[in-house]
Amino acid sequence: MRLISCFILLLSFSLQAKPVAYYFGNDVEFDSSITTPKQAFGYEVGQWHLRHDQIVHYLQTLAKESPRLSIETIGYSHQKRPLLLLKVSSPKNQQNLARIQQNHLASIGDDSNRSDKPVVMWMGYSVHGNESSGSNAAVLLAYYLAAAQGKWVSQLLDNAIILLDPALNPDGLARFATWVNSNKSNSPSTDPAHREHSEAWPSSRTNHYWFDLNRDWLLLQHPESRARIKAFHNWKPNILTDFHEMGPNSTYFFQPGIPSRTHPITPAENTQLTNLIGKFHAKALDAQGKLYFTQESFDDFYYGKGSTYPDVNGAVGILFEQASSRGHAQETQYGVLSFAETIKNQVTTSLSTFQAGITHRRALLEYQQQFYQQAKVLASKDDTKGYVVARGQDSYRFEAFIHLLKQHQIEVKYLSKEKEIDDQVYQQGDLYIPLEQPQYRLIKALFSTQTHFNDNTFYDVSGWTIPYAYDLDFVALKSEWGLKLSDNTNTEKQKLTPVEDSYAYAISWHHYLAPQLANRLLQGGVKVAAAMSPFSASTTSGKQHFQAGTLVIARGIQQQDDWYEQLKTITSELGLPVYSVTTGLTESGIDLGSRQMLQLQKPEVLIFAGAGISQYEVGELWYHLDRHLMLAPSIVEKQMIDKLELTRYSHILLADGKYNDLSDKVKAKIHSWVAKGGVIWGHKRGAQWLIEQQLLDAEMTSSKEMRRQFDTKNLTFADKDRLSARQRIAGAIFDTRLDLSHPLSFGFENKELPVFKNSTWVMYRKDKPFIESLAYTSAPLLSGYANTTNVEQIASSSALIASKAGRGVVVGMADNPVFRGFWYGSSRLLNNALFFAQGVR
């Protein structure tokens, strides 16, 4: 007992609060007029996890006290927490910051001498909320930069602009600080199983909607990312750091990553600079006897991460990964790891980044200048001159796509005259993206359809062709000859508003926001129907042809006094053209009183959640419904389903996850609910469970069975990782073919639909007609890596099946239609299931 007591005393002593000198050394002097972290918080950094509001208040205090600091709120998170950018430099530079910024941007694209200009370093911390050593380190660094004295600090501030982004994910960080602080004991528990180190589902890694913000730098679905990218391009830093944490039983990682997994578009000079900078980190960590590793595990392929987005934008991105205490102290294979120790390592490599930045200032500035100058040369030598993207019938997706490009500083033009390319006619107003512009490399990456790679192992996705995600037809143009272009669309937008007292009103389902209109009208008590077959009708604008899926609001059956005002207000707000139909007797196709006019029901959506279910995919469903349909789903954890009355809900959504732990009682409830008319949707393992429960008329080949198809004879232990890479689909884009007559395919313009695939299980319809609305093509791989063995098995299999079960409908999809929130094309399948599933007969 005495030994145990001594151990606890020693442990408590070793984990006690660490003063500022612990992080920076005893030889650093600080300006006593600047508020210290302990004075601000009442305790030393590392003793408790700082909340985001504490960080904000302290940085604002430092900015008021120190002439070296200025602070800007660049945006707000989903939960309206401020996104701060602390700009640090010498007092003299601070007085001329706007001019320095303008000169920095102006000199990137010309031949001016940049040797006397400051290097710009963007320091980003804790994009994953439960990797909080970064944000806590940022507080210490802000104090150091505000108050530290000496020749070295003066040299740093004279020669650098430091942009400190203290919390890339404020909502997740706040959630995690509350969790670990709420479960902390005065006597520290280092047991990895203790609640402090093991969060409840969902983890605080993610933002408000449970998205991984470190995958959103290209996709820009969230306000945190949009604000950051805008600020990034307003400064165009030379170095961008991205501070993370990894599992407790690790040491410390800094880039370079695995050399063979660097994206081929990234210049070799970028890797060389990364290696040079890495030597500074090694030296600093060596001096403290810290263990670390490089060129292992992590890579620089997907450009949508914080450490790789800079690489395609003229900067050098650096990833750091610190072993995590996931609380205040935790037992690891290297001994007890304290929170303070994790913070110290992040501080150490932040300081070594500063040293590297000013030491190689000229090289970094020249590299950035050459990066953009080379873009012109590379574009002139490229066989492709640009990309033409068709507008299609849905202006919303098209404009959303353009807005994304412009946020990435990509210049676009529009066709001022139609042009035939590869037997397809592109119309006036279609988009043209020339390659000869500063963002040449980024455009090439966004439109890449590469399917063969030297290294087939990927840390993240291998295919992310952006126009595929938006389901927009595009073509690479080999010559600009005969192309007529304009800076504006030069196309008049159709403005059709409802005419009062018309017989009925018709709205095309092609528009991406039509489902939101349907939901809001139904929530408001307006009766809405959908045409299950095409028709032509007389309108105040003349005869019009309407395709299947068209929404019809008939005046004669409405019971809400304000129904017309709702229709007028919502369609105006969403920019939806409304056709005013003058008679219910159509000129062709079904009449407006036809039995094939499906009376829509208000969607009441239940999403299963909890341990074993992907928090990302549940979050993606939630985000899609909330953002695009203004539909608030009920998200309920699995153990609570037993207590629910399912008759409240019209739809159940099962994201990828494990559902075998549902009780027999819950399973019976689901079967009964479906038989009485409920609609249940499952994708990936959610669909697999529906098949296992004999709810979905389909068969499958499991991922385990798919792995068995690979020959493992004569393989050595060293081949294990390569085999695993061949067996999985980390993230690629596959081609599918729609049955456009099927209700779940309404609103699509052509038969081909790209979908995102990151699983290998395969679904097949049984020998039953009319239940398959989506199938993979015979040669389905469009972009990214998938082994031939997997591709051959997936080819011509089912991608989406919808079958009747009693009065209900069961829908299974092999892939996630709302992956990372930016798959505007395939997400329409989910929308259709919410409104048209009862049209499946």
Side-chain angles (χ1 to χ4, degrees):
M1 286 296 294
R2 179 178 294 179
L3 286 173
I4 295 174
S5 299
C6 290
F7 173 75
I8 293 174
L9 285 172
L10 287 170
L11 179 62
S12 299
F13 178 77
S14 68
L15 299 179
Q16 68 184 352
K18 303 293 186 182
V20 168
Y22 168 76
Y23 298 101
F24 297 106
N26 294 314
D27 57 342
V28 180
E29 294 183 6
F30 292 93
D31 183 345
S32 60
S33 69
I34 303 297
T35 301
T36 68
K38 185 176 182 180
Q39 289 170 337
F41 307 128
Y43 52 83
E44 299 286 5
V45 174
Q47 192 173 355
W48 294 86
H49 281 247
L50 293 173
R51 302 187 313 271
H52 183 257
D53 61 292
Q54 293 175 294
I55 295 173
V56 169
H57 184 264
Y58 183 56
L59 296 189
Q60 290 172 338
T61 298
L62 291 179
K64 290 176 183 177
E65 294 177 345
S66 172
R68 301 172 178 179
L69 274 57
S70 57
I71 199 165
E72 179 184 359
T73 299
I74 60 174
Y76 292 87
S77 70
H78 280 295
Q79 296 178 11
K80 302 306 177 185
R81 289 185 171 87
L83 302 165
L84 299 184
L85 189 64
L86 194 67
K87 293 169 280 191
V88 186
S89 196
S90 67
K92 179 181 177 181
N93 286 343
Q94 285 286 350
Q95 293 174 2
N96 299 288
L97 202 59
R99 181 179 57 80
I100 292 172
Q101 181 182 11
Q102 291 170 0
N103 290 344
H104 176 75
L105 295 174
S107 63
I108 286 174
D110 59 32
D111 296 321
S112 62
N113 182 8
R114 306 183 71 200
S115 60
D116 61 338
K117 295 178 174 62
V119 65
V120 180
M121 292 182 275
W122 183 300
M123 311 296 291
Y125 299 90
S126 299
V127 71
H128 297 140
N130 59 7
E131 300 177 5
S132 56
S133 60
S135 288
N136 284 260
V139 167
L140 288 163
L141 289 158
Y143 172 66
Y144 175 86
L145 293 168
Q149 304 295 301
K151 183 178 179 181
W152 151 246
V153 178
S154 297
Q155 182 187 2
L156 171 65
L157 297 174
D158 285 340
N159 290 280
I161 307 295
I162 298 169
L163 306 172
L164 196 74
D165 188 345
L168 287 90
N169 178 9
D171 297 346
L173 183 73
R175 202 158 73 236
F176 185 63
T178 300
W179 176 269
V180 293
N181 289 338
S182 297
N183 289 287
K184 178 189 176 186
S185 304
N186 286 327
S187 299
S189 173
T190 61
D191 181 358
H194 177 52
R195 276 174 58 85
E196 182 183 349
H197 308 121
S198 181
E199 290 179 84
W201 189 101
S203 75
S204 303
R205 174 184 176 88
T206 52
N207 76 338
H208 172 78
Y209 282 104
W210 310 340
F211 274 65
D212 184 340
L213 287 178
N214 197 42
R215 305 297 187 267
D216 196 47
W217 287 70
L218 271 184
L219 315 179
L220 303 185
Q221 293 301 299
H222 299 277
E224 300 93 331
S225 306
R226 292 191 289 271
R228 187 160 297 111
I229 289 300
K230 182 178 180 181
F232 175 93
H233 286 293
N234 283 343
W235 274 101
K236 292 199 182 296
N238 302 103
I239 294 176
L240 186 145
T241 60
D242 188 20
F243 287 86
H244 289 253
E245 292 179 9
M246 53 187 166
N249 292 305
S250 297
T251 57
Y252 195 88
F253 169 86
F254 57 85
Q255 283 180 315
I258 298 174
S260 61
R261 300 183 199 169
T262 298
H263 199 291
I265 290 177
T266 301
E269 294 84 354
N270 180 288
T271 302
Q272 293 167 8
L273 286 167
T274 301
N275 289 332
L276 282 175
I277 294 168
K279 292 179 180 179
F280 286 79
H281 308 320
K283 182 178 179 181
L285 293 170
D286 284 345
Q288 298 178 18
K290 301 292 186 179
L291 294 174
Y292 57 86
F293 63 97
T294 65
Q295 297 187 330
E296 187 180 325
S297 181
F298 303 98
D299 66 37
D300 274 334
F301 189 81
Y302 172 50
Y303 281 135
K305 298 183 298 182
S307 60
T308 47
Y309 183 81
D311 295 343
V312 78
N313 282 280
V316 177
I318 307 290
L319 171 68
F320 299 92
E321 294 274 355
Q322 163 65 47
S324 179
S325 63
R326 281 294 192 273
H328 295 85
Q330 185 173 167
E331 297 165 20
T332 77
Q333 65 177 352
Y334 298 103
V336 174
L337 178 65
S338 71
F339 185 42
E341 187 178 352
T342 69
I343 297 170
K344 183 176 182 179
N345 288 341
Q346 307 284 40
V347 168
T348 297
T349 52
S350 295
L351 294 175
S352 60
T353 299
F354 297 157
Q355 291 179 321
I358 63 168
T359 301
H360 295 292
R361 177 176 60 87
R362 292 186 179 182
L364 288 161
L365 292 168
E366 289 172 3
Y367 166 71
Q368 187 178 58
Q369 193 172 52
Q370 292 168 6
F371 179 93
Y372 286 105
Q373 289 176 343
Q374 288 172 359
K376 298 177 183 178
V377 177
L378 293 171
S380 67
K381 295 179 179 180
D382 202 308
D383 292 336
T384 298
K385 300 306 173 187
Y387 299 93
V388 177
V389 181
R391 173 183 293 271
Q393 297 182 47
D394 180 9
S395 60
Y396 184 85
R397 276 183 296 120
F398 185 71
E399 294 297 336
F401 175 70
I402 294 171
H403 182 58
L404 178 69
L405 297 181
K406 288 184 176 180
Q407 287 179 91
H408 291 299
Q409 308 294 298
I410 292 173
E411 301 164 11
V412 303
K413 293 187 178 295
Y414 300 88
L415 270 60
S416 58
K417 184 179 180 181
E418 71 175 35
K419 172 77 172 177
E420 183 175 343
I421 308 169
D422 295 345
D423 298 324
Q424 180 173 343
V425 177
Y426 288 84
Q427 304 294 329
Q428 177 184 347
D430 286 351
L431 192 68
Y432 180 62
I433 304 160
L435 277 180
E436 193 169 336
Q437 59 173 293
Q439 291 295 65
Y440 163 82
R441 289 183 176 89
L442 180 56
I443 298 168
K444 292 289 286 186
L446 294 178
F447 282 81
S448 172
T449 55
Q450 182 178 358
T451 56
H452 294 90
F453 304 86
N454 293 329
D455 188 331
N456 295 329
T457 305
F458 299 94
Y459 182 72
D460 200 77
V461 301
S462 60
W464 61 86
T465 316
I466 297 296
Y468 282 149
Y470 285 76
D471 191 24
L472 295 171
D473 291 336
F474 70 99
V475 64
L477 204 61
K478 302 301 182 183
S479 170
E480 294 182 345
W481 184 88
L483 201 63
K484 304 296 182 183
L485 300 173
S486 171
D487 291 331
N488 302 304
T489 59
N490 292 325
T491 55
E492 294 184 7
K493 292 185 177 180
Q494 196 175 32
K495 295 181 180 179
L496 289 169
T497 57
V499 177
E500 195 167 2
D501 294 330
S502 294
Y503 179 86
Y505 302 91
I507 299 104
S508 170
W509 192 251
H510 285 101
H511 197 288
Y512 194 75
L513 295 182
Q516 183 184 139
L517 169 69
N519 177 57
R520 292 171 67 179
L521 290 176
L522 291 167
Q523 298 289 341
V526 180
K527 293 187 179 298
V528 183
M532 294 291 102
S533 295
F535 65 96
S536 295
S538 297
T539 75
T540 55
S541 305
K543 178 183 175 181
Q544 296 292 332
H545 180 72
F546 297 99
Q547 296 181 354
T550 296
L551 299 178
V552 177
I553 299 94
R555 173 168 56 89
I557 63 172
Q558 301 304 325
Q559 297 175 0
Q560 297 290 328
D561 292 339
D562 65 343
W563 73 271
Y564 178 75
E565 287 303 317
Q566 287 190 57
L567 173 67
K568 187 176 179 180
T569 300
I570 299 172
T571 53
S572 174
E573 179 186 323
L574 300 181
L576 288 168
V578 182
Y579 289 92
S580 302
V581 181
T582 58
T583 174
L585 184 64
T586 62
E587 299 193 21
S588 64
I590 60 174
D591 293 323
L592 298 198
S594 168
R595 292 177 180 176
Q596 293 190 59
M597 281 291 178
L598 179 68
Q599 295 299 316
L600 302 185
Q601 303 300 313
K602 179 176 64 174
E604 295 288 351
V605 178
L606 170 65
I607 303 176
F608 282 22
I613 301 176
S614 168
Q615 69 179 53
Y616 302 117
E617 296 203 6
V618 171
E620 287 157 4
L621 289 170
W622 174 24
Y623 173 78
H624 173 75
L625 298 179
D626 196 15
R627 177 184 177 187
H628 294 299
L629 276 70
M630 290 186 68
L631 192 161
S634 297
I635 303 173
V636 180
E637 300 213 10
K638 286 184 292 184
Q639 65 267 26
M640 299 298 295
I641 303 299
D642 187 26
K643 302 175 183 179
L644 287 185
E645 180 52 64
L646 294 184
T647 54
R648 174 191 178 107
Y649 308 102
S650 61
H651 292 72
I652 292 175
L653 305 183
L654 305 179
D656 184 46
K658 296 179 180 179
Y659 296 93
N660 291 330
D661 54 349
L662 292 173
S663 69
D664 290 340
K665 182 180 177 182
V666 169
K667 293 174 185 176
K669 284 178 67 172
I670 293 172
H671 276 265
S672 175
W673 173 83
V674 172
K676 293 176 182 177
V679 177
I680 188 165
W681 163 291
H683 60 253
K684 297 168 66 174
R685 284 180 294 167
Q688 186 173 334
W689 184 80
L690 293 175
I691 295 172
E692 291 169 350
Q693 293 300 306
Q694 298 182 346
L695 282 165
L696 184 65
D697 281 331
E699 298 172 342
M700 66 178 185
T701 300
S702 69
S703 296
K704 187 175 182 179
E705 291 172 308
M706 291 285 282
R707 288 195 295 270
R708 287 176 183 156
Q709 297 181 76
F710 287 80
D711 184 8
T712 58
K713 293 178 181 178
N714 302 319
L715 294 183
T716 66
F717 186 80
D719 296 320
K720 184 175 182 295
D721 288 343
R722 285 191 291 272
L723 173 63
S724 177
R726 291 170 56 218
Q727 290 173 326
R728 67 191 289 256
I729 297 176
I733 301 173
F734 278 61
D735 196 15
T736 63
R737 186 168 295 275
L738 288 155
D739 173 0
L740 293 177
S741 69
H742 196 285
L744 299 193
S745 300
F746 289 170
F748 289 96
E749 295 175 40
N750 55 58
K751 291 183 177 180
E752 290 195 29
L753 175 67
V755 299
F756 183 85
K757 175 170 278 298
N758 60 357
S759 68
T760 56
W761 81 277
V762 182
M763 182 171 65
Y764 307 92
R765 68 175 177 85
K766 291 182 179 178
D767 189 16
K768 213 174 206 181
F770 317 130
I771 66 172
E772 181 183 76
S773 66
L774 189 71
Y776 298 99
T777 61
S778 58
L781 184 60
L782 290 173
S783 176
Y785 171 74
N787 186 269
T788 303
T789 300
N790 285 329
V791 174
E792 289 174 349
Q793 289 296 312
I794 293 167
S796 302
S797 67
S798 297
L800 190 145
I801 291 174
S803 59
K804 293 289 288 185
R807 296 203 305 271
V809 179
V810 183
V811 185
M813 187 170 177
D815 306 302
N816 174 11
V818 290
F819 177 73
R820 291 183 180 168
F822 80 112
W823 277 83
Y824 281 61
S826 57
S827 62
R828 298 163 70 93
L829 297 165
L830 176 62
N831 296 345
N832 288 351
L834 292 177
F835 294 98
F836 301 154
Q838 290 298 347
V840 175
R841 299 189 178 98

